[in-house]
Amino acid sequence: MTNSQQAAANLHHVHRDDVGARMGMWLFLFTEVLLFGGLFLAYSVYRYDYHEQFRLAAMDLNTGIGTLNTIILLTSSLTVALSIAAMQKNNKFLSMVMLFFTLALALFFMINKYFEWSGHIAEGLYPKSPELLNMKNGEIIFYGLYYVMTGLHGLHVLIGMVVLSFMLFFIAKGKITPENYVKLENAGLYWHLVDLIWIFLFPLFYLIH
Amino acid sequence: MANGTIAIAEKSFYEVSTNEHSGILSWLLTTDHKRIGIMYLVTIAFFFLVGATIGLLMRLELLTPGRTIMGAQTYNTLFTLHGVIMIFLFIIPGLPAIFGNFFLPIQIGARDVAFPRLNLLSYYIYVTGAILVLVSLFLPGGPIDTGWTFYIPYSVRTGTNVSLALFAAFILGLSSILTGINFVTTVHRLRAPGMSWFKMPLFVWATYATAWIQIIATPVVGITILLVVIERTFGVGIFDPALGGDPILYQHMFWIYSHPAVYIMILPAMGVVSEIITTFCRRTIFGYVPIAMSSLAIAFVGYLVWAHHMFVSGMSDTAAWIFSLLTFIVALPSGVKIFNWVATMYKGSIDPQVPFLWVMNFIFLFSIGGLSGLVLGSLATDVHLTDTYFVVAHFHYVMFGGTGTIFFGAMHYWFPKMFGKMYNKKFATISVITFFIGFNMLYFPKFIMGYMGMPRRYYDYLPKFAHLQEISTIGSWILVGTIFFITGYLLYALKKGPKASSNPWGGVTLEWHIPSPPPMENFKEIPTITHEPYDFSQLKEMEYDK
Ligand code: HEM
Ligand SMILES: [Cu+2]
């Protein structure tokens, strides 16, 4: 074996497969959908059991904040898509700006969420609170599901923010380039999923009365 | 396949590091699928031995009626731990993580899995989960005592470390999902030129079907056990009847995963059986396409039968008989496989070497397990037998007699390839026999005791069971003794065994075309596949030990 062959054998061969990477991401998103699917299943079972009480409990939620957050997330989905498009067109700066907007919108979403939750908690509506325990079973479950489902979604927003920050860093470092941007694309896909799940949560909790 | 060319000696993956480190770090940070497979092997084998030892302790307790060596609460924690370790740490990850990692890429002619670094990450996620299980033993509150099914409401009320153990199970699930994603992508993207879907070895098909179940079923149990943790921490009431929640919903959500999970356990084993049978019959498999498709069919129908675990939990009669019927239907694809294996052996020139003997063990034990499953799947008999020793016997015959024996079968089949060493075949043959004796002595009496009304998960029993319990306990000594004996001679072979050739059994799938142990990147050149997977005409041009 010549020296260069030896060196080649020592180094693991470089393997890049964008289609494969995208496929892996889609499969992962599929598992996320199923994770939330379990919760949607529980929701539908209890909605069926406690139809009337769910209706009453839902009236107390602040549709205004919900709508605002829906708009915020939809917009952020747009900005993340624009960031990818900008990268494809070799406009690194614009891509970073758009990512930055996405992050800012995500933060805005979380702040809204914070005020919404602390509002409910101030009213005494939180798991095991005397206020809540006085209510009917269906309402207790409604609030239980509300906290669990929006909480888990909020956690996903946070994770998304961490991921997008890394992307911003990678672009700055030149690790994401117009020739190799599948990481950014996958992060974008993840963000769309977070958005999509919210689109389902929003009517279930805020709109159906 | 590479038309019979046998790669000349190259440095094996033991001698070449995938990173700049040498020594232990070259292992801990490796991205090579073979090294990761071996790391899984070491870890999983360790937990298996721990689990087996706990089983032995439980059997000791049951040697005599009344208290023998431990109290009731200790017994509760032991059977929970035994179940959790055997299910989540051994049998679910076992075959895919060890042999799937090691052989799936080789069998499709790839250099590695699609995401090598993710593969390493999955390993560490698995280790983290395992460590959390161990940590939960020693924290104040005490080890979890709910049984491995974590049924509500007890799992919410008990003061033991349920939350941590459940979180550990969640993490183990994540590892399983990531492995599944990796395998599906690998099979789609990295097959060698010419390796069409129907030229893939059947172990690859089985692992592929398993990977889909891992992806589709695991998230559901993930959210279910997370809900129990949330319930314990915050008391939101989703499963708590006092707050309007429904404990039966927990059981549904749990079994929607955990029934398909039994196919995560058994499908890869069936894949290995197909490999071993063809190799030792020197004959192409009978009904390749039906076997491949039956894996997918099992994966699919397996989703529709979960509620057979809940016949006595409270269900409408209509639901009960529908689930009973579906349960019978899922036996069909398994039957297809057994039929095809037997048909392959018919007129084959059988060479009954050690791995093949393990397969015989499998067919015998798994058939008993499967048939007793039909007894449990029938409504009327299940009502009598549910939560008795009959169930314990059934699932040990299926899981241990099925997948467990194939864990040993695969170990004996691929050991020379993985380590380049051969073990003592006489010892190995003896252990197949003592395993068979110990196994049946240990578990067959449980069918009878269950039928007579001995409930499961009890540390005490009526005097009328004493004899059968004694036989069972003596069986456990033979069985666990055999397991330690096997571990012993395999470790010895690793150190002192004679060198194995590249093809000690005369197999023809791709792994037998490369040296033992395989070189770093498996193939000098990616082969072009021209043969059917089990085309033994290649053997004429290949080197093998006749
Ligand atoms: C190595 C020898 C083994 C022995 C001696 C053994 C023994 C036992 C015993 C005595 C029980 C308690 C039965 C009861 O009272 O309900 C049990 C339960 C169980 N075993 Fe094993 N077992 C062994 C191997 C295995 C293997 C390989 C697996 C998995 C593939 C396994 C999975 C289980 C499960 C899931 C339970 C149920 C735990 C529960 O009730 O929560 N066992 N075993
Ligand atoms: Cu089942």
Side-chain angles (χ1 to χ4, degrees), chain B residues 48 52 55-56 58-59 62 75 79-80 82-83 86-87 90-91 147-149 389 392 395-396 399-400 442-443 446 455-458 476 479-480 483:
Chain B
F48 176 67
L56 191 69
M58 282 190 284
R59 277 316 325 168
L62 294 165
Y75 189 81
F79 75 65
T80 305
H82 172 77
M86 286 302 191
I87 299 283
F90 167 62
I91 207 111
W148 75 275
T149 49
Y389 262 28
V392 180
F395 69 66
H396 279 98
M399 296 197 277
F400 193 8
L442 169 55
Y443 297 116
K446 294 195 187 206
R456 73 190 274 209
R457 296 183 173 174
Y458 276 36
S476 79
L479 185 66
V480 175
I483 292 170

Side-chain angles (χ1 to χ4, degrees), chain B residues 93-331:
Chain B
L95 292 173
I98 300 170
F99 301 106
N101 250 321
F102 200 109
F103 288 106
L104 179 123
I106 302 184
Q107 286 194 327
I108 60 172
R111 298 204 185 281
D112 207 324
V113 291
F115 310 117
R117 279 187 299 176
L118 184 69
N119 201 13
L120 183 65
L121 180 68
S122 312
Y123 173 76
Y124 281 110
I125 294 177
Y126 169 84
V127 172
T128 311
I131 290 176
L132 286 182
V133 172
L134 295 182
V135 168
S136 78
L137 299 183
F138 300 107
L139 288 187
I144 175 172
D145 61 349
T146 60
W148 75 275
T149 49
F150 320 118
Y151 270 11
I152 280 227
Y154 184 69
S155 57
V156 170
R157 307 241 162 102
T158 170
T160 54
N161 292 319
V162 174
S163 298
L164 190 60
L166 282 182
F167 188 61
F170 180 81
I171 292 191
L172 290 167
L174 180 62
S175 163
S176 178
I177 289 178
L178 294 179
T179 304
I181 291 178
N182 217 338
F183 285 176
V184 168
T185 315
T186 305
V187 170
H188 278 269
R189 299 294 303 162
L190 294 182
R191 279 172 290 136
M195 171 76 66
S196 59
W197 283 92
F198 289 120
K199 286 209 174 95
M200 297 195 311
L202 287 165
F203 177 65
V204 176
W205 266 110
T207 319
Y208 176 73
T210 310
W212 273 110
I213 311 180
Q214 287 174 298
I215 294 171
I216 297 176
T218 318
V220 181
V221 81
I223 191 67
T224 310
I225 56 188
L226 218 52
L227 280 174
V228 178
V229 176
I230 293 173
E231 195 72 36
R232 283 178 66 88
T233 323
F234 303 107
V236 291
I238 292 180
F239 295 133
D240 186 346
L243 302 178
D246 184 357
I248 305 283
L249 181 65
Y250 171 84
Q251 294 190 18
H252 279 295
M253 289 172 70
F254 180 83
W255 286 112
I256 287 175
Y257 163 80
S258 296
H259 186 83
V262 309
Y263 302 110
I264 301 184
M265 304 169 200
I266 197 67
L267 275 176
M270 292 172 153
V272 177
V273 169
S274 303
E275 299 290 320
I276 294 180
I277 285 191
T278 49
T279 296
F280 293 95
C281 296
R282 293 279 185 285
R283 192 162 182 268
T284 188
I285 192 96
F286 180 85
Y288 172 92
V289 176
I291 290 200
M293 290 303 117
S294 66
S295 289
L296 294 182
I298 290 177
F300 176 72
V301 189
Y303 281 99
L304 308 178
V305 304
W306 75 88
H308 61 210
H309 297 271
M310 302 169 57
F311 286 150
V312 298
S313 303
M315 240 198 305
S316 78
D317 289 348
T318 320
W321 75 254
I322 290 176
F323 277 109
S324 179
L325 179 72
L326 287 169
T327 301
F328 277 78
I329 291 177
V330 83

Side-chain angles (χ1 to χ4, degrees), chain A residues 2-59:
Chain A
T2 65
N3 273 345
S4 64
Q5 268 176 324
Q6 184 66 49
N10 282 342
L11 266 181
H12 211 48
H13 77 283
V14 184
H15 158 80
R16 180 179 152 198
D17 177 6
D18 288 355
V19 180
R22 244 173 261 138
M23 183 171 175
M25 192 64 196
W26 276 107
L27 288 171
F28 178 72
L29 295 182
F30 185 40
T31 68
E32 288 273 18
V33 169
L34 287 162
L35 186 84
F36 278 93
L39 288 172
F40 285 122
L41 179 76
Y43 179 96
S44 33
V45 168
Y46 291 125
R47 175 120 215 157
Y48 180 80
D49 281 356
Y50 302 108
H51 183 70
E52 189 54 25
Q53 294 166 31
F54 264 47
R55 203 179 70 81
L56 283 177
M59 308 255 228

Side-chain angles (χ1 to χ4, degrees), chain A residues 3 10-11 23 27 46 58 91 101 114 125-126 139 147 153 168-169 172 180 186 188 192 194-195:
Chain A
N3 273 345
N10 282 342
L11 266 181
M23 183 171 175
L27 288 171
Y46 291 125
N91 191 339
F101 275 139
Y114 170 78
L125 291 176
Y126 52 89
E139 294 173 274
Y147 279 113
H153 177 262
L168 202 56
F169 175 76
N180 187 1
N186 278 347
H192 293 319
V194 171
D195 186 20

Side-chain angles (χ1 to χ4, degrees), chain B residues 63-78:
Chain B
L63 183 59
T64 61
R67 185 191 161 109
T68 310
I69 57 165
M70 63 182 78
Q73 180 61 16
T74 314
Y75 189 81
N76 288 350
T77 60
L78 282 193

